[in-house]
Amino acid sequence: MRLKCFVVAVFCLCCVQASAQSFIQSLNQQNHWVDSVFHSLSKKQKIAQLFMVRAHTNLGQAYEDSVGKVIKRQKLGGVVFFQGGPVREAELINKYQKESKVPLLIAMDGEWGLGMRLDSTISYPYQMTLGAIRDNTLLYTMGRQIARDFKRLGVQMNFGPDMDVNNNPNNPVIGFRSFGDNKYNVAEKGIAYMRGMQDGGILTTAKHFPGHGDTEVDSHLDLPQLPFTRKRLDSLEEYPFREAIKAGISGVMVAHMNIPALDTTLHLPSTLSKPIITGILKDSLGFKGLVVSDAMGMQGVVKFFPNGEADVRAFIAGNDLLELSQDSKRAIKMIKKAIRKGQIQMSDLDARVKKVLTAKYWAGLNNRATIPTQNMYQDLNHPDAKALVQQLTDAAVTVLRKDSVAIDFGKRTAIISIGTNDTSIYQRELQKNFPSNSLFSIAKNAGKGKLDSLLQTLQNYDRVIIGVHDIRLRPASKLDFSDDVQLFITQIAVKPNSVISVFANPYSLAGLLGIEKAGTLIMGYQKSDEMQRSAVKVITGQLKATGKLPVNVNVFFGYGVGL
């Protein structure tokens, strides 16, 4: 009840959603506000409504002012915010909105909430962590909470959830951002999360269509290729998107990938492919919502289509919103020229502009209101939201092996954190339960001499409890530990008194040879304080783990494993 009242109170401070209908349903309704705004726009201004510019609040006043000038002069339709702080962002949103004739659609990448981009805000668990949860209503609740956070800040659109099926452990750009490698689990989790956000009044975007999960190239740096058959793509990669469309998702983001089975044009990214966007996404799958391009400045799209050609092709292909063009002024001129030459029908432009304006109306932007910055930090860090994060990690933590012998808390216990230089939350929480303990920290590149000495010391302890911590911002599928440190983990794992918790990408288990022999093995998925507390609860008997592994790691750790 307390959380419900809090959400209602904060909701009243923000833009009120214009309709109880879903966005997709609202597209079929006559809308006087949309018509009025639409008829006030010139051809150039209509094109500009389809462009979203990049903004930061951590790059200084000059940068903020330069973005403001671009918005004002070009009359762009939206802004995508990246790194910064919440109060600064709210203030800048207020400024940009005030200077815009048509309300701006404000978007962010918030796959795990505002904390994905902003300091001083809450980060919810990564989607790979959420993939381990059995109770999908928790993801719906998280979606509602993230929607509240977005609306409190004045943001109307989340570029999430990620609905890629990550069936390639070596994927350099998706990995922990995916719910896992099982298409059914990915679809169910993504839909639950999406519904929570949309019921909370924000627009959502399933990405990266038709599926970025089985690539070994980062589309920020180059153009990946999906060399699979149409049958494979239909049955696997597209499945979560197809289900999300049936469930009424408001937006789909298209990836920069070359897919010969769907379009044989040499070097053509899917973002620029009419057969993929119009033919498959819109016509075959029947998607009526917002089609959003991935960032138009990424090498995956501009490498082979430079100098604005990508922007024109993206429009012709069927995108409704073009995100982060290299040069939006040039792109608007080129699209206007393409209309004049008959390459683009004016009716096509008008339909997309009305769709974008309908999205703005649905999100409440017809009633623009100044976002109050007072109590912003408190509102975005509410105790109920923090409690939800802990509830989510408690539901995700997974026991892969369990020693049948009950832990004797009175015995001499060594508590070790590997990959950290300081005492971890994991160690401090365990200390409370093991009165006779010693703490040890091992850096990820610790030398063999130090490790051999510690092995000798550990012979004097009845039990050894280890936390393996990947402290990188983006937990990759392989740990960046030295060979000596990984060997040390193997040497501890074979001891019958070992308890190991891995706070890292689950694929990293494959590189820890012999870890399947550990007395007790807990998969913690990420380094967060909440997940470390969840693992401690399991070790000390305060929590019965219910999480299941969301990916296939190797012959020892398959999808769905969890005691």
Side-chain angles (χ1 to χ4, degrees):
M1 179 61 72
R2 186 164 60 113
L3 177 58
K4 182 178 179 181
C5 295
F6 172 70
V7 171
V8 172
V10 174
F11 179 81
C12 293
L13 294 172
C14 304
C15 297
V16 178
Q17 187 179 338
S19 172
Q21 290 181 315
S22 73
F23 168 63
I24 301 297
Q25 290 171 330
S26 73
L27 291 169
N28 298 319
Q29 305 297 316
Q30 184 73 26
N31 189 303
H32 297 297
W33 181 85
V34 170
D35 291 342
S36 175
V37 174
F38 174 81
H39 289 302
S40 73
L41 301 175
S42 67
K43 183 188 297 184
K44 184 177 180 181
Q45 290 168 350
K46 288 177 182 178
I47 299 169
Q49 280 297 301
L50 310 183
F51 284 83
M52 305 185 80
V53 68
R54 183 186 192 105
H56 289 249
T57 57
N58 66 335
L59 297 180
Q61 190 66 46
Y63 179 89
E64 294 174 8
D65 291 344
S66 67
V67 173
K69 288 177 183 177
V70 169
I71 294 169
K72 192 171 183 178
R73 290 173 181 170
Q74 298 178 24
K75 296 179 172 53
L76 300 183
V79 180
V80 184
F81 272 88
F82 287 82
Q83 286 76 17
V87 173
R88 286 170 284 159
E89 181 166 319
E91 291 173 342
L92 197 55
I93 288 172
N94 285 334
K95 178 183 176 182
Y96 289 164
Q97 290 287 23
K98 186 177 180 181
E99 294 175 348
S100 299
K101 173 187 172 183
V102 180
L104 295 163
L105 183 64
I106 308 296
M108 287 182 67
D109 287 290
E111 295 163 27
W112 51 90
L114 294 177
M116 181 171 174
R117 294 299 186 195
L118 302 182
D119 60 43
S120 308
T121 56
I122 290 176
S123 288
Y124 294 85
Y126 296 143
Q127 288 190 192
M128 184 68 77
T129 305
L130 299 173
I133 294 175
R134 299 299 92 201
D135 181 4
N136 290 337
T137 61
L138 288 172
L139 277 77
Y140 175 87
T141 302
M142 185 190 80
R144 288 298 296 258
Q145 185 69 26
I146 288 175
R148 182 203 66 76
D149 294 343
F150 268 56
K151 290 174 75 70
R152 176 66 182 89
L153 191 60
V155 182
Q156 297 83 39
M157 189 173 198
N158 190 356
F159 289 151
D162 188 306
M163 297 190 76
D164 298 309
V165 180
N166 194 86
N167 49 2
N168 186 337
N170 296 318
N171 194 314
V173 68
I174 305 301
F176 70 97
R177 298 167 61 193
S178 165
F179 291 112
D181 65 11
N182 180 283
K183 65 180 182 180
Y184 302 108
N185 193 42
V186 169
E188 291 168 4
K189 295 290 188 295
I191 290 169
Y193 180 19
M194 170 272 286
R195 280 180 169 152
M197 289 190 285
Q198 290 186 181
D199 286 354
I202 65 169
L203 299 155
T204 64
T205 318
K207 59 188 184 186
H208 306 79
F209 183 84
H212 209 315
D214 197 355
T215 62
E216 294 192 17
V217 173
D218 185 344
S219 52
H220 292 85
L221 308 176
D222 207 337
L223 179 63
Q225 186 178 89
L226 283 187
F228 309 117
T229 65
R230 175 66 187 266
K231 182 179 179 181
R232 147 76 190 257
L233 294 165
D234 283 347
S235 63
L236 180 59
E237 273 79 9
E238 290 177 20
Y239 178 82
F241 297 96
R242 186 161 59 244
E243 295 303 303
I245 290 167
K246 290 178 186 176
I249 196 158
S250 56
V252 170
M253 180 180 287
V254 183
H256 303 312
M257 295 184 298
N258 181 246
I259 313 173
L262 304 183
D263 190 326
T264 57
T265 308
L266 189 65
H267 301 313
L268 188 72
S270 39
T271 8
L272 312 187
S273 169
K274 191 168 185 177
I276 292 174
I277 296 177
T278 300
I280 296 176
L281 179 58
K282 291 186 173 183
D283 294 342
S284 297
L285 300 184
F287 180 60
K288 306 300 182 187
L290 290 167
V291 179
V292 185
S293 76
D294 207 343
M296 292 299 294
M298 292 164 59
Q299 284 300 303
V301 68
V302 299
K303 180 177 180 179
F304 297 104
F305 300 92
N307 304 319
E309 183 183 358
D311 297 292
V312 177
R313 282 178 174 259
F315 181 93
I316 293 172
N319 290 281
D320 299 311
L321 286 171
L322 301 182
E323 182 196 0
L324 315 184
S325 169
Q326 282 188 316
D327 187 336
S328 52
K329 182 179 179 180
R330 176 184 64 191
I332 291 167
K333 286 183 178 179
M334 291 178 70
I335 290 175
K336 187 178 179 182
K337 182 179 179 181
I339 294 172
R340 189 169 62 249
K341 292 171 65 177
Q343 295 173 300
I344 296 171
Q345 297 301 311
M346 195 66 199
S347 59
D348 205 7
L349 171 64
D350 290 350
R352 295 190 210 179
V353 174
K354 286 185 177 181
K355 188 190 293 187
V356 171
L357 293 175
T358 301
K360 293 183 178 186
Y361 179 86
W362 184 87
L365 284 169
N366 58 309
N367 294 313
R368 275 191 280 189
T370 300
I371 301 300
T373 56
Q374 186 177 7
N375 297 323
M376 177 69 77
Y377 175 83
Q378 293 86 341
D379 291 343
L380 296 179
N381 291 273
H382 195 269
D384 287 322
K386 293 181 178 180
L388 176 59
V389 177
Q390 188 63 63
Q391 188 179 5
L392 288 162
T393 59
D394 283 353
V397 66
T398 305
V399 174
L400 300 176
R401 283 182 57 85
K402 182 74 168 84
D403 191 338
S404 59
V405 179
I407 290 181
D408 185 341
F409 296 103
K411 288 189 175 182
R412 196 169 184 211
T413 303
I415 305 173
I416 306 172
S417 275
I418 300 177
T420 62
N421 295 317
D422 302 313
T423 303
S424 64
I425 292 290
Y426 182 67
Q427 289 174 297
R428 290 199 290 268
E429 291 295 316
L430 283 168
Q431 259 192 317
K432 299 174 184 178
N433 295 275
F434 294 89
S436 179
N437 71 81
S438 298
L439 304 184
F440 302 91
S441 293
I442 299 175
K444 63 183 180 181
N445 56 355
K448 187 175 184 301
K450 180 179 180 179
L451 296 170
D452 288 344
S453 175
L454 181 55
L455 278 173
Q456 286 294 114
T457 301
L458 294 179
Q459 292 181 11
N460 300 317
Y461 290 85
D462 301 302
R463 184 168 292 278
V464 179
I465 303 178
I466 289 180
V468 177
H469 303 259
D470 186 349
I471 62 172
R472 291 174 292 184
L473 184 63
R474 295 179 174 272
S477 59
K478 294 180 176 65
L479 292 170
D480 59 346
F481 293 2
S482 68
D483 291 342
D484 288 333
V485 170
Q486 294 195 52
L487 176 61
F488 175 83
I489 295 171
T490 298
Q491 291 171 310
I492 294 296
V494 298
K495 297 183 180 297
N497 63 346
S498 63
V499 176
I500 302 179
S501 298
V502 179
F503 304 109
N505 189 313
Y507 288 118
S508 66
L509 291 168
L512 296 173
L513 302 180
I515 200 168
E516 70 278 359
K517 298 176 183 177
T520 295
L521 179 60
I522 297 169
M523 188 67 238
Y525 301 102
Q526 61 184 95
K527 63 178 181 179
S528 70
D529 291 352
E530 293 85 3
M531 184 57 83
Q532 293 181 59
R533 292 190 178 98
S534 295
V536 171
K537 289 181 187 178
V538 172
I539 292 169
T540 58
Q542 302 170 61
L543 173 68
K544 179 174 172 52
T546 57
K548 303 291 183 182
L549 204 60
V551 292
N552 284 288
V553 175
N554 55 24
V555 294
F556 301 109
F557 308 117
Y559 172 82
V561 170
L563 302 181

